[in-house]
Amino acid sequence: MSILVNKNTKLLVQGITGRDGSFHTKKMIEYGTNVVGGVSPGKSGQSVHGVPVFNTVADAVKATGANTSVIFVPAPYAADAVLEAAEAGIGLVIAISEGVPTLDMVRITPYLQKRGTKLVGANCPGLISPDEAMVGILPGNIFLKGNIGLMSRSGTLTYEMVYQLTTNGLGQSTCVGIGGDPVAGLYYEELLQMFEEDPETDAIVLIGEIGGDAEERAAQYIKEHITKPVVGFIGGLTAPPGKRMGHAGAIISSGTGTGAEKIAAFEAVGVQVARQPSEIPELLKKLLKI
Amino acid sequence: MSILVNKNTKLLVQGITGRDGSFHTKKMIEYGTNVVGGVSPGKSGQSVHGVPVFNTVADAVKATGANTSVIFVPAPYAADAVLEAAEAGIGLVIAISEGVPTLDMVRITPYLQKRGTKLVGANCPGLISPDEAMVGILPGNIFLKGNIGLMSRSGTLTYEMVYQLTTNGLGQSTCVGIGGDPVAGLYYEELLQMFEEDPETDAIVLIGEIGGDAEERAAQYIKEHITKPVVGFIGGLTAPPGKRMGHAGAIISSGTGTGAEKIAAFEAVGVQVARQPSEIPELLKKLLKI
Amino acid sequence: MKIHEYQAKEILARYEIPVTNEILCYSVGEVQDAAQKLGFPAVVKAQVLTGGRGKAGGVKLVRNGEEATAAAEKILGMDIKGFIVEKVLVAQGVSFVSEIYAGLTIDRNTKSAVFMVSREGGVEIEEVAKDNPEAILKFAIDPDLGMAPFFARKIAFALFDDMNLVHQATDLFQKLYKVFIDTDASLVEINPLVITSENQLLALDGKMTFDDNALFRQPEILALNEPSEDEKKEIDAKEKGLSYIRLDGSIGCMVNGAGLAMATMDMIKLYGGEPANFLDIGGSSNPQKVIDAMNLILSDKNVKVIMINIFGGITRCDDVAKGLIAALEQIKIQIPIVIRLSGTNSKEGLAILKSANLPTVETMSEAAQKAISLSVDFLR
Amino acid sequence: MKIHEYQAKEILARYEIPVTNEILCYSVGEVQDAAQKLGFPAVVKAQVLTGGRGKAGGVKLVRNGEEATAAAEKILGMDIKGFIVEKVLVAQGVSFVSEIYAGLTIDRNTKSAVFMVSREGGVEIEEVAKDNPEAILKFAIDPDLGMAPFFARKIAFALFDDMNLVHQATDLFQKLYKVFIDTDASLVEINPLVITSENQLLALDGKMTFDDNALFRQPEILALNEPSEDEKKEIDAKEKGLSYIRLDGSIGCMVNGAGLAMATMDMIKLYGGEPANFLDIGGSSNPQKVIDAMNLILSDKNVKVIMINIFGGITRCDDVAKGLIAALEQIKIQIPIVIRLSGTNSKEGLAILKSANLPTVETMSEAAQKAISLSVDFLR
């Protein structure tokens, strides 16, 4: 099963003629993702790596039946691109674009709810269901099909984690990069629920970081709704307050959003928290009794 | 049963301390409507005809459990008052206020949908389920409880019709004045469906007028969904194009929205159309075989 | 509320929508100067608050000073559907390759603004709607989204293949929506929006009408109002709480409620008469309002008989009867009156009228028939 | 991006939010003139881009010219948390009866702007949040509704009973929301918003921070930026595609990816070391970027050892290795380097590094431990 993306994913690439869009379209196709079309205003009729390009998402959906879209357009236009996808009936949008204004995200959120469109990101590496579909900029080769669901606010840290899982023989059902911005689309609670309901997922890895209280809320949610084992990790334990650690969302303000608080919240509800990435495989093996 | 309002209606009056709000609150109470509270910013603690006044709709709902609200505030503030009611969880709002800007109505429509709040009006006389509840400015004494459902874009023309029904022994389940503005809340299709589903309604009277194509769409809806007999009437057959006949919505533009088109649309789907108000009772009696 | 083409284009220009170079003129001399200044060819266009000026000869292309003078002399003072042309717009002639229609209005059905475009611009859009409705593309605008850039671009792609034009149109459509919202318009129309020989979009004509209900918050728009004589009468009436529209018949109507007033007019026509007006006096029984209404009806010299049709709802018939009597005592009326009074406390009301020697009839149809026969009698 | 109090209040004043009369001063003389002009009592306030100036003695009430001079002399040049006070704001003293807190920020949870008010204004809102959280009322704002008048009034009623104040606050809160949206703020705060003895609402202080991601469309805000020395370094780094934050330790870090960079810092601390910086070099293997990163790290004289932690994802480890070698050939480094390279094509990458005599370690924890021991060795 996996969650969100799989063999039935019919992917559009918005901004396909751009440098990043074109490069990662190739990578996604190579991974086996079913990329059915691209969008780039004024480039209709062209093709990129064999993928037909359309002027609008509506045209592309009409011609290809796309159900998922990944966004590589520059940050100032990213929110508009998400709206275009939602308006055209796309059910799942993955926004890779980095640097999207927060109020743009605030503004589009109710429209996405109204249209029933799920969003991952922005400012995220995308997501992958190994051997089924990779959407975004993830290095497909490090992933292994399996029964661990993973979600993370970070990119390379995720790869580090996944690499450790894969080299320890722990495959993944789906890995989702939820993005490093303060206001983003799908977050821990929705994804926890999806992994809980996914028969192919047996354990969950949640990679959080400093800033906000999403990890604390996730802990509460796990306590109330999640029966599968969850392992946590928090990045940025040693980051100083008031400094934005690369991610706009990774900032400790007014003494809240610290790593210590998040670890405490997890441990209070029985979530095992790894102190360094390399502990994750051991913890999982213990929990899964393998 | 009746539709929309009944003995379970717990009514708030927004703008209760104004001249119209106060006057009609008295009339509604006299009719037997369960008026539980009023709203007028800064007048909390006062009472009007024994009804407690609150500063905000949220306060009033909290204190009284109101489920319906009628709006008497001046037109410039009416849309905001509707939003306030919707935000406070009111399920049915009746806006009497005349002269509400059209773009205000456009602007609030999606929010009402999101909140699941039904709106009647603006610029309408309200609605009544005889012997149960009267909400608005309708002259309660002319109505008679019975099995005819009535909806109308006009006020006094409705009273004329109802008077003819009542004096002919034809009582009403619910009579709804949907208002004379181009963009309004509940319209023919929603109300037709409600009357269709209401076991106490055996026949429906639809009083339309020139302007727009709501009657044409209603005809189509009747053809596809309504099994109960419907009698129609169209006001403004002789109105000249381009002139606003009192109601902002009653205007024939570019040769569309004429009365002749509307009558043709009704007759094409088997709706009997009265040529003058006094024909309505006969048509109903024939259709109901009484 | 309507405004002139030149006013509409001033508003569009304020939003940086490209419009033709043009000069408003009130005299032949001004037209001559303007045409020289703008260069030839130029277009002289009557500025009147009604449609169909083209067919009426109110628009002339002029190629030189003589033609400009001739056109100005012909158009200034012209009567177009009862409107006298007092000013003309002289616009620079533009060479174009294609004419587009672009307009925004309110769609009652979707309860939203709707953007309409057509490649068949330059002719009356109503005609396109009738003859070739699929040539008009309609896009309902979600008010929460507004005219999002992608949405404007989608509309632009429905019209153009050339990316340069798509970019221009995407920008222009967003501005047009902003004009519409900012001014509480009920219609904004550019017809034609042309593609010039230089591949630029340009508004050759502009039309705007506004939501009367919103004028209270649009003082700048309200200041543009130039009501006609009839409209002035309507505005005066409105200030007195009356909703009045003059028509061409001989039977003056006084009714409470807009719907009932329309039904009353219809009833008169049904029996072969002609209403002289639509007049809704609203819900009050105030004698002054009745007097104002009477004076308004009598100001129309075509009126041969007055038909009063009142349904007592919240306002009781006995109060209305008293108001009528009080009014009729103060105003001398030389033509017959037919009164129909029904509804709440009608018995009491009718008794009061009877005691004042004001005859009444029972139903609307009786009232209409009697009024018609009196109007004919009166003519004899 | 942060701005000064005086700048924030200028923006608030532009939106017709009432703020105190005040004058910005750069010298003792200017403060003397300003205080005379505004009258006594007045308040002299340090303008620095950090909090806690009150506790640091950067705010003084002055009752006469002498006190003004003394305050100016004391505050100008003062060091507040590493920020030197170069300008002060002289504000008219205001007599007030009550202090309110009003602020707007983004709530990650509801994904909307949230309006926060408290009757306990005048103190740091973080302290209220800690000691008496229920004294802070929070209202999430539906972006489709915005700060609707009824909503602003609802918030106002939560603070005030007096209708005069409710009216003022309803108006002020709508304006404050408009400031927030128009400027792409991440925080707008008035603390305290006082009720003066004349029963007027007045902003005594103002604080605004802005969304860095939105500065591209806020040129007026961007023009207000006064980066500190550290921030200038961060901005320079950003222009080179590097995300850099200076810290206090001795182990310079170079990592690809923000999350991994944070985890690397954590790892160093876990083993008892102190990172000298956060540094994310992003995804490229471009040697120039590595050179820029090295120079950045070395500009910090506290750095005793460099720890490079690269995870090859899309970028392959062999490419990264080549880039590293190319960089290290161009730049002479006198301190030890610890390299950890893992992920895609790590074998090939490690082989390349080995052939260039660049020793590597296998895991992050090894790298951290080795870097720490080297930093200590180096100190000896």
Side-chain angles (χ1 to χ4, degrees):
Chain A
M1 272 288 296
S2 67
I3 68 167
L4 293 167
V5 296
N6 53 41
K7 283 283 175 209
N8 298 321
T9 295
K10 294 171 121 185
L11 185 70
L12 278 189
V13 180
Q14 290 179 252
I16 194 169
T17 58
R19 205 178 57 105
D20 289 350
S22 166
F23 177 79
H24 292 291
T25 296
K26 186 154 173 279
K27 294 276 174 193
M28 291 189 281
I29 293 170
E30 284 168 4
Y31 190 77
T33 309
N34 183 16
V35 182
V36 296
V39 176
S40 184
K43 306 282 172 66
S44 174
Q46 301 184 8
S47 77
V48 172
H49 305 303
V51 172
V53 181
F54 301 88
N55 283 333
T56 67
V57 178
D59 287 350
V61 168
K62 206 171 161 192
T64 67
N67 54 22
T68 304
S69 177
V70 61
I71 290 178
F72 283 100
V73 308
Y77 315 108
D80 192 54
V82 176
L83 291 176
E84 179 171 6
E87 201 255 355
I90 295 284
L92 172 65
V93 179
I94 296 93
I96 308 302
S97 317
E98 187 182 340
V100 180
T102 305
L103 284 179
D104 282 6
M105 296 303 295
V106 167
R107 190 170 50 84
I108 69 175
T109 297
Y111 187 75
L112 298 180
Q113 278 167 356
K114 178 158 81 177
R115 300 288 302 176
T117 298
K118 292 187 180 77
L119 173 68
V120 175
N123 189 19
C124 81
L127 75 171
I128 184 169
S129 297
D131 293 359
E132 305 214 12
M134 186 277 280
V135 178
I137 60 173
L138 298 156
N141 58 305
I142 63 170
F143 294 87
L144 174 73
K145 191 170 179 66
N147 62 350
I148 310 291
L150 182 146
M151 64 191 84
S152 169
R153 280 167 71 177
S154 159
T156 41
L157 183 56
T158 305
Y159 311 157
E160 175 83 35
M161 298 292 190
V162 167
Y163 193 69
Q164 307 236 8
L165 293 180
T166 296
T167 50
N168 277 278
L170 292 164
Q172 305 94 40
S173 54
T174 304
C175 297
V176 186
I178 62 178
D181 283 348
V183 173
L186 292 182
Y187 232 82
Y188 299 134
E189 291 161 60
E190 295 99 326
L191 293 171
L192 282 164
Q193 191 55 43
M194 289 180 202
F195 281 130
E196 176 75 15
E197 288 166 6
D198 173 32
E200 283 190 9
T201 300
D202 292 328
I204 303 168
V205 176
L206 190 161
I207 304 170
E209 63 188 29
I210 52 162
D213 66 346
E215 287 78 8
E216 287 85 337
R217 286 184 285 121
Q220 194 56 35
Y221 191 83
I222 289 165
K223 184 182 172 192
E224 290 165 9
H225 301 285
I226 304 300
T227 61
K228 298 181 179 176
V230 182
V231 172
F233 178 85
I234 303 292
L237 293 179
T238 59
K243 288 287 184 183
R244 169 177 159 165
M245 290 289 125
H247 293 161
I251 183 164
I252 299 169
S253 33
S254 320
T256 65
T258 66
E261 288 170 340
K262 291 171 191 299
I263 290 177
F266 277 142
E267 292 187 336
V269 300
V271 172
Q272 306 250 14
V273 181
R275 283 308 190 274
Q276 47 174 296
S278 58
E279 287 177 26
I280 300 248
E282 310 161 29
L283 287 173
L284 281 171
K285 283 183 176 169
K286 210 164 59 188
L287 286 166
L288 289 171
K289 303 188 173 68
I290 49 179
Chain B
M1 273 288 294
S2 67
I3 67 168
L4 293 167
V5 296
N6 53 40
K7 283 283 173 210
N8 298 323
T9 295
K10 293 171 121 184
L11 186 71
L12 279 190
V13 180
Q14 288 178 254
I16 194 169
T17 58
R19 204 179 57 106
D20 289 351
S22 166
F23 177 79
H24 292 291
T25 296
K26 186 155 174 280
K27 294 278 174 189
M28 290 189 282
I29 293 169
E30 285 169 3
Y31 190 79
T33 309
N34 184 17
V35 183
V36 297
V39 176
S40 185
K43 306 282 171 65
S44 173
Q46 300 186 6
S47 77
V48 172
H49 306 302
V51 173
V53 180
F54 301 87
N55 283 334
T56 67
V57 178
D59 287 350
V61 168
K62 205 171 165 193
T64 67
N67 53 22
T68 305
S69 177
V70 61
I71 289 177
F72 284 100
V73 308
Y77 314 108
D80 192 54
V82 175
L83 291 176
E84 179 171 7
E87 201 257 355
I90 294 284
L92 173 65
V93 178
I94 296 94
I96 309 301
S97 316
E98 188 182 338
V100 180
T102 305
L103 285 179
D104 282 6
M105 296 301 296
V106 168
R107 189 172 51 83
I108 67 175
T109 298
Y111 188 74
L112 298 180
Q113 278 167 356
K114 178 158 81 178
R115 300 288 300 174
T117 298
K118 292 187 180 75
L119 173 68
V120 176
N123 188 21
C124 82
L127 75 171
I128 184 169
S129 297
D131 292 359
E132 303 212 17
M134 187 277 281
V135 178
I137 60 173
L138 297 156
N141 57 306
I142 63 169
F143 294 86
L144 175 71
K145 191 173 180 63
N147 61 350
I148 311 290
L150 183 145
M151 63 191 84
S152 170
R153 282 166 70 177
S154 160
T156 41
L157 182 57
T158 305
Y159 311 158
E160 175 83 35
M161 297 294 189
V162 165
Y163 193 68
Q164 305 236 9
L165 294 179
T166 296
T167 51
N168 277 277
L170 292 163
Q172 305 92 42
S173 53
T174 303
C175 297
V176 186
I178 62 178
D181 283 348
V183 174
L186 293 182
Y187 231 81
Y188 298 135
E189 291 162 59
E190 295 98 327
L191 293 170
L192 282 164
Q193 191 56 43
M194 290 181 198
F195 280 132
E196 175 75 16
E197 288 165 6
D198 174 31
E200 281 190 11
T201 299
D202 292 328
I204 303 168
V205 177
L206 189 162
I207 304 172
E209 63 189 27
I210 51 162
D213 66 346
E215 288 78 7
E216 286 85 337
R217 285 184 285 122
Q220 194 56 35
Y221 190 83
I222 289 166
K223 185 183 170 191
E224 289 165 9
H225 301 285
I226 304 302
T227 61
K228 296 180 181 177
V230 181
V231 173
F233 178 84
I234 303 293
L237 293 180
T238 61
K243 287 287 184 182
R244 169 178 159 162
M245 291 289 124
H247 294 160
I251 184 163
I252 299 170
S253 34
S254 321
T256 65
T258 66
E261 288 170 340
K262 292 169 190 300
I263 290 178
F266 277 143
E267 293 187 336
V269 299
V271 171
Q272 305 251 15
V273 181
R275 283 308 189 276
Q276 48 176 297
S278 57
E279 287 176 24
I280 300 249
E282 309 160 31
L283 287 174
L284 282 171
K285 283 183 178 170
K286 212 162 59 187
L287 286 167
L288 291 170
K289 302 189 175 66
I290 49 177
Chain C
M1 190 196 114
K2 293 175 186 170
I3 60 172
H4 289 290
E5 175 198 359
Y6 78 92
Q7 295 170 317
K9 282 156 97 179
E10 276 171 17
I11 295 173
L12 296 180
R14 220 177 294 153
Y15 282 80
E16 296 176 358
I17 292 171
V19 299
T20 37
N21 288 329
E22 53 196 27
I23 299 170
L24 184 70
C25 303
Y26 292 83
S27 68
V28 175
E30 283 178 25
V31 171
Q32 289 165 337
D33 292 348
Q36 292 298 340
K37 197 168 166 189
L38 294 167
F40 294 99
V43 185
V44 181
K45 301 196 268 187
Q47 299 294 292
V48 278
L49 294 172
T50 184
R53 63 179 177 179
K55 281 178 193 153
V59 178
K60 295 272 175 207
L61 180 75
V62 295
R63 287 178 197 78
N64 52 50
E66 272 171 38
E67 286 186 13
T69 307
E73 283 171 348
K74 180 152 185 290
I75 297 173
L76 281 163
M78 185 183 260
D79 181 330
I80 299 178
K81 296 187 184 171
F83 291 81
I84 304 301
V85 180
E86 291 170 352
K87 44 197 169 191
V88 296
L89 192 58
V90 181
Q92 203 168 49
V94 173
S95 130
F96 56 81
V97 296
S98 177
E99 293 176 286
I100 304 295
Y101 170 92
L104 265 160
T105 187
I106 296 291
D107 179 31
R108 300 173 185 220
N109 190 355
T110 57
K111 299 179 187 180
S112 67
V114 62
F115 203 96
M116 298 171 295
V117 291
S118 174
R119 284 180 162 147
E120 303 194 6
V123 295
E124 293 219 2
I125 197 67
E126 290 81 6
E127 286 175 22
V128 181
K130 209 180 289 167
D131 303 340
N132 191 11
E134 68 276 16
I136 304 175
L137 304 174
K138 296 182 178 185
F139 299 84
I141 299 169
D142 183 321
D144 289 339
L145 273 190
M147 182 66 84
F150 85 84
F151 199 80
R153 198 168 55 227
K154 186 164 110 171
I155 301 174
F157 271 122
L159 287 173
F160 306 112
D161 296 317
D162 176 15
M163 243 351 245
N164 181 351
L165 291 172
V166 168
H167 282 311
Q168 290 182 53
T170 301
D171 181 59
L172 193 151
F173 294 167
Q174 289 177 264
K175 288 170 176 168
L176 204 60
Y177 180 73
K178 191 161 162 49
V179 173
F180 184 82
I181 298 297
D182 284 359
T183 62
D184 272 305
S186 47
L187 175 75
V188 179
E189 209 174 71
I190 303 180
N191 188 20
L193 174 69
V194 301
I195 307 172
T196 67
S197 322
E198 291 80 35
N199 209 34
Q200 297 298 306
L201 291 180
L202 184 72
L204 285 205
D205 198 352
K207 186 175 170 184
M208 295 187 75
T209 63
F210 302 94
D211 177 7
D212 292 342
N213 282 350
L215 290 174
F216 72 89
R217 65 185 176 197
Q218 297 288 351
E220 286 185 29
I221 300 299
L222 189 57
L224 302 178
N225 199 14
E226 291 178 13
S228 66
E229 287 309 311
D230 275 359
E231 283 167 345
K232 276 180 193 157
K233 228 176 193 173
E234 291 164 17
I235 292 166
D236 284 351
K238 206 171 175 188
E239 279 165 7
K240 289 168 179 150
L242 307 169
S243 178
Y244 173 82
I245 292 169
R246 190 177 184 275
L247 302 169
D248 295 326
S250 58
I251 301 171
C253 303
M254 184 191 305
V255 190
N256 66 331
L260 193 59
M262 271 191 273
T264 303
M265 286 162 49
D266 294 348
M267 187 76 84
I268 290 169
K269 276 244 185 174
L270 187 66
Y271 287 106
E274 286 292 336
N277 61 273
F278 166 96
L279 176 55
D280 169 14
I281 62 167
S284 132
S285 55
N286 177 350
Q288 188 56 47
K289 217 166 171 181
V290 178
I291 294 171
D292 289 339
M294 285 286 184
N295 283 329
L296 201 53
I297 293 173
L298 295 172
S299 72
D300 176 358
K301 295 305 162 202
N302 292 338
V303 172
K304 305 294 178 246
V305 57
I306 295 176
M307 172 174 167
I308 299 178
N309 183 17
I310 303 289
F311 187 89
I314 293 283
T315 322
R316 298 180 321 185
C317 286
D318 46 349
D319 284 344
V320 175
K322 286 175 201 158
L324 269 176
I325 290 168
L328 292 173
E329 274 169 5
Q330 287 187 48
I331 186 170
K332 287 286 154 250
I333 295 183
Q334 308 295 340
I335 55 174
I337 301 180
V338 178
I339 304 176
R340 184 260 182 163
L341 195 60
S342 188
T344 311
N345 286 21
S346 61
K347 269 185 200 166
E348 294 82 343
L350 293 171
I352 292 169
L353 290 179
K354 199 171 182 186
S355 68
N357 270 329
L358 283 171
T360 57
V361 296
E362 210 168 304
T363 67
M364 273 175 74
S365 59
E366 265 182 77
Q369 291 172 61
K370 189 166 176 194
I372 292 166
S373 80
L374 284 168
S375 74
V376 177
D377 290 350
F378 192 85
L379 287 177
R380 279 175 194 157
Chain D
M1 189 197 115
K2 292 176 186 170
I3 60 173
H4 289 291
E5 174 197 2
Y6 77 93
Q7 295 170 317
K9 282 157 98 180
E10 276 171 16
I11 294 173
L12 296 179
R14 219 176 296 152
Y15 283 80
E16 295 176 357
I17 292 172
V19 300
T20 37
N21 288 329
E22 54 196 28
I23 298 170
L24 184 69
C25 302
Y26 293 83
S27 68
V28 175
E30 282 177 24
V31 170
Q32 289 166 336
D33 292 349
Q36 292 298 343
K37 198 168 164 188
L38 293 167
F40 295 99
V43 184
V44 182
K45 302 195 265 188
Q47 299 294 292
V48 278
L49 294 172
T50 184
R53 64 179 177 181
K55 281 179 193 151
V59 178
K60 294 273 175 208
L61 181 75
V62 296
R63 289 179 196 76
N64 52 51
E66 273 170 37
E67 286 186 13
T69 306
E73 283 169 348
K74 178 150 186 291
I75 296 174
L76 280 164
M78 182 182 261
D79 181 329
I80 300 178
K81 297 188 186 169
F83 292 82
I84 305 302
V85 180
E86 293 171 351
K87 43 197 169 192
V88 295
L89 191 58
V90 182
Q92 204 168 49
V94 173
S95 128
F96 56 82
V97 296
S98 177
E99 291 177 287
I100 305 294
Y101 170 91
L104 265 160
T105 188
I106 296 292
D107 180 31
R108 300 174 185 219
N109 190 354
T110 58
K111 299 179 187 179
S112 67
V114 63
F115 204 96
M116 298 170 294
V117 292
S118 173
R119 282 179 164 148
E120 302 195 7
V123 294
E124 292 218 4
I125 197 66
E126 290 80 6
E127 286 176 21
V128 182
K130 208 180 290 170
D131 301 341
N132 191 9
E134 67 278 13
I136 304 175
L137 304 173
K138 295 184 179 183
F139 299 84
I141 298 169
D142 184 320
D144 290 339
L145 272 190
M147 183 66 85
F150 86 84
F151 199 80
R153 197 167 57 227
K154 188 164 109 171
I155 301 173
F157 272 122
L159 286 173
F160 306 112
D161 297 317
D162 177 13
M163 242 349 244
N164 182 351
L165 291 172
V166 169
H167 283 310
Q168 289 181 55
T170 302
D171 182 58
L172 192 150
F173 293 169
Q174 290 177 262
K175 289 169 176 166
L176 205 60
Y177 180 72
K178 191 163 162 44
V179 173
F180 185 81
I181 297 296
D182 285 359
T183 62
D184 272 303
S186 47
L187 175 76
V188 179
E189 210 175 70
I190 303 179
N191 187 22
L193 174 70
V194 300
I195 307 173
T196 67
S197 322
E198 292 79 34
N199 208 35
Q200 297 299 305
L201 292 180
L202 183 73
L204 285 206
D205 198 351
K207 185 175 172 185
M208 295 185 74
T209 63
F210 302 94
D211 177 7
D212 292 340
N213 282 350
L215 290 174
F216 71 89
R217 64 184 178 198
Q218 298 288 349
E220 286 185 28
I221 299 301
L222 188 56
L224 302 178
N225 199 17
E226 291 179 12
S228 66
E229 287 309 311
D230 275 358
E231 283 167 341
K232 275 181 195 157
K233 227 176 194 173
E234 291 164 18
I235 291 167
D236 285 349
K238 207 173 175 188
E239 279 164 8
K240 289 169 180 150
L242 307 169
S243 178
Y244 174 82
I245 292 168
R246 191 177 184 279
L247 302 168
D248 296 326
S250 57
I251 301 172
C253 303
M254 184 190 309
V255 190
N256 66 330
L260 191 60
M262 271 191 274
T264 303
M265 287 162 49
D266 294 349
M267 186 78 82
I268 292 168
K269 277 242 182 176
L270 188 65
Y271 287 105
E274 286 292 337
N277 60 274
F278 166 96
L279 175 56
D280 169 15
I281 62 165
S284 133
S285 54
N286 180 349
Q288 186 55 47
K289 217 165 171 182
V290 179
I291 294 172
D292 290 338
M294 286 286 183
N295 284 329
L296 202 53
I297 293 173
L298 296 172
S299 72
D300 177 356
K301 298 302 162 204
N302 291 339
V303 172
K304 305 293 179 247
V305 58
I306 295 177
M307 169 174 169
I308 299 177
N309 184 16
I310 302 290
F311 187 89
I314 292 284
T315 321
R316 299 179 321 185
C317 285
D318 45 350
D319 284 344
V320 174
K322 287 175 201 158
L324 269 175
I325 290 169
L328 292 174
E329 276 168 5
Q330 288 187 47
I331 186 169
K332 290 280 155 255
I333 297 183
Q334 310 293 341
I335 56 177
I337 302 181
V338 179
I339 304 176
R340 182 260 182 167
L341 194 61
S342 188
T344 309
N345 285 20
S346 60
K347 269 185 199 166
E348 293 83 344
L350 293 171
I352 292 169
L353 290 179
K354 199 170 179 188
S355 68
N357 270 328
L358 284 171
T360 57
V361 296
E362 209 169 308
T363 67
M364 273 175 74
S365 60
E366 265 183 75
Q369 291 172 60
K370 187 165 180 198
I372 291 165
S373 81
L374 284 169
S375 75
V376 177
D377 288 352
F378 192 86
L379 288 177
R380 278 179 194 155

